[in-house]
């Protein structure tokens, strides 16, 4: 879908009070051209991940396909070629990051959920380097639940009750403790620590009662109102084992905040306007309310009520000199008054009726004092693409226009009213659904099997406007009897690319607006548009030609670049050579430019690849300094979807994780699944050394031993210096070995990048900030097979970027840069006559394929074998065609 600017300017819709203008001689037309130039210069991207399931268990794999779109041309093939996907825990700490190549706007990958992870609310975050210029609000960022019954002895269910004493919120948390079978832990000691906004607000000890319940009380003062946190509850079992459970605190109060938002932006006297309502409780979710609007005399003007997730609207004609108050009733019976915005004496209002299935009706309302024939303009745009432009002389108080829906794209469309001086004075968002932007997926299901381990074959036709399209699709098949669909919150290509990727705040249950195509849902979606804050760019920036600071360049390829200097001055025409021995020896060379800069691009390599850069002057002198360009890691901001956090993850997923136990136990019996050995608890009394900037996947400083920079001052060769200083670590030929695995070299991770075992002495000891020793199974398990011999986490003083390097001799540096992650193939067994198996097959994800391609005739196919369990099998097919049209199809069938 290309820019509609030429069409919009040349063939303007002229209806009722609006008139067209010529592009060549009108200043506003030049302003619209300026908008197109601005958004072309500052194009943005959006990412969608199709996840195979809505929730997971420890031991599962997370499979995903990523679609990268450009806000100007839709499917992004001309900006970024590299995508970063991250797994983030409840502490907003990065647990995994993978780097993937983008091919034609598409890529795919996976995460393995090792048993060293705990249950909880995790986030999947995805972005390109270029997207970082526009802030984290527009990253793909989804909260998912991960349960754990595999090695879990204690399960909790927590219920919060809130009261208020003056300005202090009082919280009573009732925590129920039980084992996997539902048997309560009775009269067990429980110690607890309550943290709000990372501050400890309460500590204490209690005991579970005969029902397994422990009551914990704490307070939240005014400075912590609205803050979130956790309860660290430690229960002592009958065998004296201590189990720590981290229980989220999503709210400390049952207070509800109610906002009133006039359509268009401002409330104007004597103009009938729609006013939207948004009521949000302490957890960040919408809460329905009702009440009435009264004036300053107490006279009732109208009754009000929200209709869905705390959103609704009413119409008010504000009178001169009047003030208005909303008297609100909440579900607990309490009441509270809220002042409505003060109405302005005069102004313009923009009101839109977006409920008609065939058209969008626009009304421009003006105060009587402004009917002076000033020329106003209306612009409708999406992502910088102009779809409607018109202007009108304000010679009466009401001007109207109608736009056929077929003229507007699917997704959020922004209508802006501009004054005679081209300043925005009112704005309104609408959501448009157009069948022209949807791929019709006609699924042929005649060859499916309803038998256990039977073969199910599918074919489908991909059509847009009855014409076949070439497209790329992903398909996920799950046993819905085990993985209950979460239709309101599961991964959905329409909800993400058309809705949430253009909304800066939290959207509750985004898929709800795409499950039905009726008037009620359309009204609920329109209320969302009336209440949700949104800005991909500011008009004043367009007017002043002020764009965002482009700090992060689009990554076309993986590159290694830097500058060569001698005596602090750039070395022009210097000779630079790049070498690597990983996967075979290779050498490439280049020369520096006049500023001493060099660049090696189009590099393709996997993680843990070591490079050596050697530089010389033009006269072949080697005493030069090499500085490698490094891009800092993206910080992990607070979860904007924190309202999706589930306090009782394991309880919510209990049916699923118990079912998953059958699969994991069978895989373990067959020796196909790794499990770690849980060691007895070790209490460390010495104060932990915090490892700043550490890339330790367990969290900074979570190690068996941490060595600080101050202990390395006198070192010359690092391995010799560390010998005897790192407990339980031996050095043979400069290579570290753990005493637990004396024949397996320890894995070395330098600033987040795995390097070769013999790399240690290439590191300058003076560059090191901390060295963390991971030796016990609890600390090494997160590294999988790479942690079998133990791990050394080395963080340099320049750490915290995706590239690390060390200059251990003049004119030579050793580089460790994050490479591409290798995506695994989903294992889908075959049960034909030749390969039949008596092994039990308890998979919950029956089939995953990120590479289903529709050919030039729009035809595609896929097939798989059912698992060994009966149930309702749910097929989710999603994808995109070459023009950026979206498709999604859900089909279910029974296996008996």
């Amino acid at each position: 879908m290309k820019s509609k600017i030429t069409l919009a300017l040349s063939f303007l819709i002229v209806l009722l009070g609006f008139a067209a203008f010529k592009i060549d001689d009108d200043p506003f037309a030049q302003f619209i051209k300026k908008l197109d130039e601005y958004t072309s210069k500052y194009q943005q991207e959006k990412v969608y991940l199709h996840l195979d399931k809505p929730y997971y268990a420890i031991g599962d794999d997370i499979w995903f396909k990523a679609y990268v779109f450009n806000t100007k041309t839709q499917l992004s093939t001309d900006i970024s070629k590299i995508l970063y996907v991250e797994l983030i825990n409840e502490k907003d700490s990065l647990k995994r990051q993978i780097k993937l190549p983008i091919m034609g706007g598409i890529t795919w990958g996976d995460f393995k959920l090792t048993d060293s992870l705990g249950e909880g609310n995790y986030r999947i975050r995805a972005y390109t380097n270029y997207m970082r210029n526009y802030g984290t609000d527009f990253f793909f960022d989804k909260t998912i639940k991960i349960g754990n019954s595999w090695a879990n002895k204690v399960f909790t269910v927590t219920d919060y009750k809130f009261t208020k004493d003056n300005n202090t919120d009082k919280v009573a948390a009732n925590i129920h403790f039980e084992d996997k079978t539902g048997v309560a832990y009775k009269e067990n000691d429980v110690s607890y620590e309550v943290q709000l906004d990372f501050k400890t607000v309460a500590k204490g000890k209690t005991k579970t009662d005969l029902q397994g319940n422990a009551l914990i009380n704490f307070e939240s003062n005014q400075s912590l109102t609205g803050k979130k946190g956790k309860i660290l509850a430690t229960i002592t079992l009958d065998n004296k084992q201590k189990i720590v459970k981290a229980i989220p605190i999503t709210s400390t109060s049952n207070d509800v905040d109610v906002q009133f938002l006039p359509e268009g932006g401002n409330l104007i006297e004597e103009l009938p306007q729609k006013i939207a309502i948004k009521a949000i409780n302490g957890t960040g979710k919408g809460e329905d309310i009702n009440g009435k609007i009264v004036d300053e005399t107490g006279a009732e003007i109208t009754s009000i009520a929200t209709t869905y997730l705390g959103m609704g609207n009413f119409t008010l004609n504000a009178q001169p000199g009047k003030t208005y108050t909303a008297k609100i009733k909440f579900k607990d019976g309490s009441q509270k008054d809220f002042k409505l915005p003060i109405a302005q004496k005069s102004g313009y209002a923009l009101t839109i009726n977006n409920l008609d299935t065939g058209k969008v009706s626009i009304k421009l309302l003006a105060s009587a004092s402004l009917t002076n024939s000033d020329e106003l303009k209306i612009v409708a745009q999406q992502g910088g693409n102009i779809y409607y432009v018109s202007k009108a002389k304000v010679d009466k108080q009401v001007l109207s226009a109608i736009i056929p829906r077929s003229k507007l794209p699917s997704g959020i469309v922004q209508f802006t009213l501009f004054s005679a001086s081209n300043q925005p004075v009112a704005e309104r968002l609408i959501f448009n659904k157009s069948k022209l932007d949807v791929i019709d997926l006609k699924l042929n299901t005649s060859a499916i099997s309803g038998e256990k381990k039977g073969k199910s074959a599918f074919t489908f036709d991909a059509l847009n406007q009855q014409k076949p399209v070439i497209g790329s699709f992903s398909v996920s098949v799950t046993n819905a009897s085990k993985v209950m669909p979460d239709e309101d919150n599961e991964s959905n290509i329409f909800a993400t690319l058309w809705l949430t990727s253009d909304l800066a705040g939290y959207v509750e249950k985004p898929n709800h607006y795409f499950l039905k195509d009726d008037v009620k849902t359309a009204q609920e979606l329109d209320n969302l548009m009336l209440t949700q804050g949104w800005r991909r760019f500011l008009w004043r920036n367009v007017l002043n030609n002020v764009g965002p600071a482009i700090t992060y360049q689009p990554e076309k390829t993986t590159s290694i670049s830097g500058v060569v200097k001698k005596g602090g001055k750039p070395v022009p025409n210097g000779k630079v050579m790049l070498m690597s021995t990983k996967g075979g020896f290779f050498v490439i060379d280049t020369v520096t430019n006049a500023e001493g800069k060099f660049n090696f691009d189009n590099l393709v390599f996997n993680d843990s690849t070591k490079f050596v850069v050697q530089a010389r002057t033009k006269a072949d002198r080697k005493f030069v300094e090499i500085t490698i360009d490094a891009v800092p890691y993206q910080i992990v901001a607070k979860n904007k979807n924190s309202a999706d956090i589930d306090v009782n993850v394991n309880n919510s997923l209990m049916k699923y994780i118990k079912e998953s136990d059958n699969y994991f136990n069978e895989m373990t019996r067959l020796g196909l699944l790794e499990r770690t050995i849980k060691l007895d608890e070790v209490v460390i009394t010495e104060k932990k050394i915090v490892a700043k900037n550490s890339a330790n996947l367990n969290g900074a400083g979570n190690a068996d031993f941490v060595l600080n920079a101050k202990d390395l001052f006198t070192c010359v060769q690092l391995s010799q210096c560390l010998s005897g200083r790192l407990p339980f670590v031996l050095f043979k030929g400069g290579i570290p070995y753990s005493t637990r695995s004396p024949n397996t070299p320890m894995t070395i991770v330098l600033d987040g990048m795995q390097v070769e075992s013999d790399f240690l002495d290439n590191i300058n000891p003076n560059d090191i900030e901390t060295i963390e020793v991971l030796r016990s199974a609890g600390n090494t398990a997160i590294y999988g097979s790479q942690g079998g011999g133990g791990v050394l986490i080395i963080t340099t003083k320049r750490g915290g970027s995706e590239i690390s390097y060390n200059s251990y001799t003049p004119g030579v540096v050793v580089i460790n840069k994050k490479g591409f992650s290798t995506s695994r193939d989903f294992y889908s067994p075959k049960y034909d006559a030749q390969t039949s198996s008596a092994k039990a097959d308890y998979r919950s994800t029956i089939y995953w394929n990120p590479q289903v391609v529709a050919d030039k005739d729009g035809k595609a196919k896929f097939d798989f074998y059912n698992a060994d369990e009966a149930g309702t099998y749910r097929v989710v097919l999603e994808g995109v065609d070459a023009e950026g049209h979206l498709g999604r199809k859900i089909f279910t069938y029974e296996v008996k």
Side-chain angles (χ1 to χ4, degrees):
M1 291 185 289
K2 301 189 182 300
S3 173
K4 300 291 198 306
I5 185 169
T6 303
L7 179 66
L9 292 173
S10 302
F11 305 100
L12 293 174
I13 302 170
V14 184
L15 295 167
L16 300 175
F18 290 90
F21 56 86
K22 294 181 179 179
I23 187 172
D24 297 327
D25 56 7
D26 190 281
F28 191 68
Q30 297 303 316
F31 167 69
I32 297 302
K33 285 184 65 178
K34 189 175 182 180
L35 167 64
D36 185 67
E37 293 168 357
Y38 178 92
T39 53
S40 295
K41 182 178 180 181
Y42 300 108
Q43 293 185 48
Q44 298 182 41
E45 292 178 306
K46 55 177 74 173
V47 177
Y48 167 67
L49 262 58
H50 176 194
L51 302 174
D52 67 308
K53 287 185 293 207
Y55 47 81
Y56 299 86
I58 298 300
D60 272 338
D61 299 302
I62 299 177
W63 303 93
F64 62 84
K65 181 172 184 179
Y67 299 86
V68 184
F69 272 58
N70 177 281
T71 53
K72 289 287 283 185
T73 60
Q74 299 306 307
L75 196 64
S76 184
T77 58
D78 61 343
I79 298 184
S80 296
K81 303 294 185 183
I82 295 174
L83 181 72
Y84 298 90
V85 185
E86 298 169 339
L87 180 66
I88 301 168
N89 66 9
E90 284 179 351
K91 301 176 184 177
D92 295 324
S93 176
L94 184 65
K95 303 302 291 183
R96 302 277 196 281
Q97 184 195 69
I98 59 176
K99 179 179 178 180
L100 298 169
I102 301 171
M103 300 160 286
I106 292 166
T107 189
W108 53 86
D110 58 88
F111 289 108
K112 179 70 177 175
L113 301 179
T114 61
D115 59 340
S116 59
L117 294 172
E119 77 268 12
N121 298 272
Y122 286 75
R123 297 157 59 187
I124 300 287
R125 187 173 77 164
Y127 57 92
T128 65
N129 194 53
Y130 182 68
M131 289 174 67
R132 298 171 65 181
N133 295 300
Y134 301 92
T136 59
D137 277 333
F138 300 109
F139 289 5
F140 177 90
D141 200 332
K142 185 169 185 60
T143 299
I144 60 171
K145 294 190 282 284
I146 298 178
N148 183 12
S149 69
W150 197 4
N152 208 354
K153 294 183 178 179
V154 178
F155 293 79
T156 61
V157 179
T158 304
D159 178 58
Y160 290 101
K161 292 186 178 179
F162 310 108
T163 56
K164 188 177 286 292
D165 183 8
N166 296 322
N167 291 325
T168 301
D169 293 318
K170 293 190 173 183
V171 183
N174 185 64
I175 306 175
H176 175 74
F177 294 86
E178 64 182 29
D179 65 14
K180 187 186 299 188
T181 63
V183 176
Y185 286 104
K186 304 175 182 178
E187 299 185 313
N188 291 85
D189 291 330
V190 176
S191 61
Y192 62 88
E193 178 180 353
V194 181
Q195 297 177 356
L196 289 175
D197 198 28
F198 303 103
K199 297 179 180 178
T200 299
V201 298
K203 284 184 177 181
K205 294 182 179 180
T206 185
K207 189 182 287 282
T208 58
D209 61 19
L210 294 177
Q211 286 74 46
N213 299 321
L215 185 63
I216 296 174
N217 295 293
F218 62 94
E219 297 180 352
S220 171
N221 58 33
Q222 201 165 19
S223 65
L224 293 172
T225 298
K227 301 297 183 182
K228 302 180 187 300
K230 60 186 175 183
I231 300 173
L232 294 174
T234 303
I235 184 171
T236 304
L237 305 186
D238 294 340
N239 63 359
K240 304 303 180 183
Q241 184 181 5
K242 296 180 183 294
I243 303 293
V244 181
K245 308 298 291 187
I247 302 164
I249 300 171
T250 58
S251 177
T252 58
S253 169
N254 55 10
D255 286 350
V256 178
D257 179 54
V258 184
Q259 299 177 10
F260 296 92
L261 307 162
E263 183 178 20
N266 295 313
L267 187 62
I268 312 297
E269 287 183 356
E270 297 187 286
L271 295 181
Q273 285 178 263
K274 192 181 296 180
I275 298 179
I277 311 169
K278 187 167 188 174
I280 302 174
N281 63 24
T283 67
K285 292 187 176 182
E287 185 161 316
D288 286 330
I289 53 94
N290 63 77
K292 60 184 179 180
I293 305 296
V294 300
D295 63 16
E296 73 281 359
T297 67
E300 182 175 343
I301 307 299
T302 185
S303 61
I304 61 173
T306 58
T307 56
Y308 180 69
L309 299 180
M311 293 178 288
N313 70 77
F314 62 96
T315 300
L316 178 68
N317 190 340
Q319 296 302 302
K322 292 282 188 178
T323 58
Y324 300 92
T325 300
K327 293 186 170 293
I328 302 299
K329 294 180 181 179
F330 302 108
K331 64 181 181 180
D332 64 356
S334 62
Q335 299 186 29
K336 191 175 180 179
D337 292 350
F338 295 86
K339 294 289 186 182
L340 266 61
I342 301 297
Q344 297 182 3
K345 296 295 183 183
S346 65
Y348 302 103
L350 183 63
T351 181
I352 296 179
N353 181 355
N354 193 38
L355 300 182
D356 193 292
T357 57
K359 63 181 182 295
V360 177
S361 301
I362 306 172
K363 284 186 179 181
L364 165 61
L365 307 178
S367 297
S369 60
L370 298 177
T371 54
N372 52 10
S373 295
D374 271 354
E375 201 169 65
L376 301 184
K377 304 95 175 177
I378 289 181
V379 175
Q381 65 86 25
Q382 181 192 80
N385 295 327
I386 309 299
Y387 293 90
Y388 175 83
V389 183
S390 193
K391 67 178 183 178
K393 290 189 177 296
V394 187
D395 52 7
K396 51 187 176 182
Q397 281 195 270
V398 181
L399 300 172
S400 303
I402 293 175
I403 307 175
R405 286 197 178 276
S406 59
K407 301 292 183 182
L408 299 174
S410 293
I412 297 173
V413 182
Q414 177 184 11
F415 283 82
T416 306
L417 178 66
F418 289 89
S419 68
S421 60
N422 294 342
Q423 296 298 316
V425 294
E427 197 162 88
R428 168 77 147 92
L429 302 182
I430 71 163
F431 190 91
N432 186 52
K433 296 179 183 178
S434 173
K435 293 182 179 180
L436 301 179
D437 298 325
V438 176
I439 304 172
D440 183 16
L441 299 173
K442 296 186 178 297
L443 202 62
N444 182 350
T445 61
S446 60
I448 64 172
S449 171
E451 302 295 325
K452 296 177 182 178
K453 295 187 176 180
K455 184 177 182 179
S456 291
F458 292 79
T459 61
F460 65 88
D461 293 297
L463 307 171
N464 177 252
Q465 301 181 60
Q466 302 302 314
K467 296 179 181 179
V469 296
I470 298 173
S472 177
F473 299 87
S474 49
V475 59
S476 171
V477 182
T478 55
N479 185 342
S481 301
K482 297 173 64 172
V483 186
M484 294 296 293
D486 185 4
E487 292 189 326
D488 283 340
N489 282 308
E490 68 185 346
S491 185
N492 184 309
I493 196 168
F494 291 122
T496 298
L497 290 176
W498 283 355
L499 185 65
T500 59
S501 63
D502 283 327
L503 292 171
Y506 168 67
V507 180
E508 186 176 355
K509 299 183 178 180
N511 297 356
H512 167 82
Y513 306 106
F514 299 89
L515 299 178
K516 295 181 180 179
D517 192 16
D518 55 15
V519 175
K520 181 176 181 294
T521 304
Q523 179 64 70
E524 291 164 351
L525 181 53
D526 200 50
N527 284 334
L528 177 69
M529 294 297 97
L530 286 165
T531 57
Q532 190 77 33
W534 174 81
R535 290 292 183 279
R536 268 201 177 270
F537 63 85
L538 299 176
W539 283 110
R540 66 171 178 267
N541 291 341
V542 180
L543 293 166
N544 298 321
N545 196 28
V546 176
I550 305 300
T551 304
Y552 305 102
Q553 297 301 318
E555 290 182 296
K556 302 292 186 182
T557 65
T558 298
S559 63
I560 294 175
S561 61
V563 62
V564 179
K565 294 182 179 181
K566 183 174 177 61
K569 296 181 180 180
V571 175
N573 300 313
K575 304 171 186 178
V576 186
M577 184 182 300
L578 179 70
M579 296 170 284
S580 177
T581 59
K582 186 69 179 279
F585 184 78
F586 81 90
V587 178
I588 53 177
D589 56 19
T590 187
V591 295
T592 59
N593 63 14
E595 289 80 35
K597 296 180 180 179
F598 65 89
N599 182 42
F600 297 100
D601 58 7
N602 296 313
L603 301 175
V604 178
F605 56 92
N606 293 330
D607 271 346
S608 307
T609 302
K610 178 176 66 176
F611 294 94
V612 176
V613 176
Q614 176 181 286
R616 299 289 187 269
T617 66
K618 185 179 180 182
D620 215 30
R621 296 179 182 274
K622 67 178 183 179
F623 290 94
V624 296
E625 304 91 40
I626 305 173
T627 302
I628 302 297
D629 296 332
V631 178
Y633 283 125
Q634 173 62 46
I635 63 170
V636 180
K638 287 187 176 181
N639 187 0
K640 75 170 185 177
N641 301 315
S642 60
D644 286 336
I645 288 177
D646 190 336
V647 173
N648 302 303
V649 167
N650 270 336
N651 186 62
S652 300
L653 303 184
M654 183 58 73
K655 181 179 185 298
Y656 170 67
I657 58 181
K658 282 186 176 180
E659 293 279 358
S660 297
D661 273 354
N662 295 329
Y663 173 61
F664 297 143
N665 291 334
E666 177 68 10
M667 294 289 284
T668 303
R669 184 183 70 82
L670 298 172
L672 299 176
L673 200 63
E674 294 181 2
R675 298 182 69 164
T676 57
I677 300 172
K678 185 73 173 178
L679 299 180
D680 291 336
E681 182 186 33
V682 178
V683 179
I684 306 296
T685 57
E686 185 178 357
K687 185 178 180 181
K688 182 189 294 184
I689 301 171
V690 177
K692 184 180 180 182
N693 295 324
S694 169
N696 187 345
L697 296 180
N698 297 293
N702 290 324
D704 296 290
F705 182 79
V706 181
L707 188 71
N708 201 274
K710 64 181 177 60
D711 298 315
L712 299 170
F713 280 158
T714 60
C715 292
V716 177
Q717 195 171 39
L718 188 57
S719 63
Q720 293 178 350
C721 180
L722 294 180
S723 182
R725 297 193 184 190
L726 296 182
F728 311 111
V729 177
L730 303 176
F731 291 88
K732 304 175 187 178
I735 298 176
Y737 293 82
S738 169
T739 55
R740 290 175 61 94
S741 305
N743 297 317
T744 304
M746 298 184 74
T747 295
I748 300 175
V749 179
L750 178 63
D751 287 337
M753 299 299 109
Q754 185 176 334
V755 298
E756 303 290 343
S757 297
D758 60 355
F759 184 75
L760 204 61
D761 286 335
N762 292 329
I763 304 171
N764 187 342
N766 293 323
D767 289 342
I768 293 175
E769 183 73 34
T770 56
I771 298 178
E772 296 164 85
V773 180
L774 309 185
R775 180 176 172 272
S776 64
N779 284 326
T780 61
I782 198 169
Y783 290 90
S785 59
Q786 293 176 341
V791 185
L792 289 184
I793 307 294
I794 301 176
T795 304
T796 68
K797 294 172 183 175
R798 60 169 72 90
S801 72
E802 66 137 6
I803 186 171
S804 63
Y805 66 95
N806 170 58
S807 178
Y808 65 92
T809 190
V812 177
V813 297
V814 178
I815 295 175
N816 300 276
K817 185 175 176 68
K818 190 172 184 64
F820 290 125
S821 299
T822 301
S823 298
R824 296 177 296 155
D825 291 330
F826 180 84
Y827 173 67
S828 184
K830 294 183 178 180
Y831 297 121
D832 53 26
Q834 290 76 29
T835 58
S836 61
S837 172
K839 297 176 182 176
D841 184 352
Y842 300 128
R843 290 170 295 139
S844 56
T845 298
I846 310 301
Y847 181 68
W848 165 257
N849 189 344
Q851 305 178 66
V852 180
V853 178
D855 61 20
K856 60 182 178 59
D857 298 319
K859 296 187 178 298
K861 62 182 180 179
F862 59 92
D863 59 70
F864 56 89
Y865 288 83
N866 299 330
D868 206 18
E869 291 181 293
T872 300
Y873 282 36
R874 185 171 186 257
V875 181
V876 178
L877 179 65
E878 290 191 327
V880 60
D881 69 11
E883 296 298 320
H885 304 126
L886 308 182
R888 176 178 168 89
K889 186 80 171 181
I890 297 177
F891 175 77
T892 60
Y893 65 98
E894 295 296 325
V895 173
K896 299 181 180 178

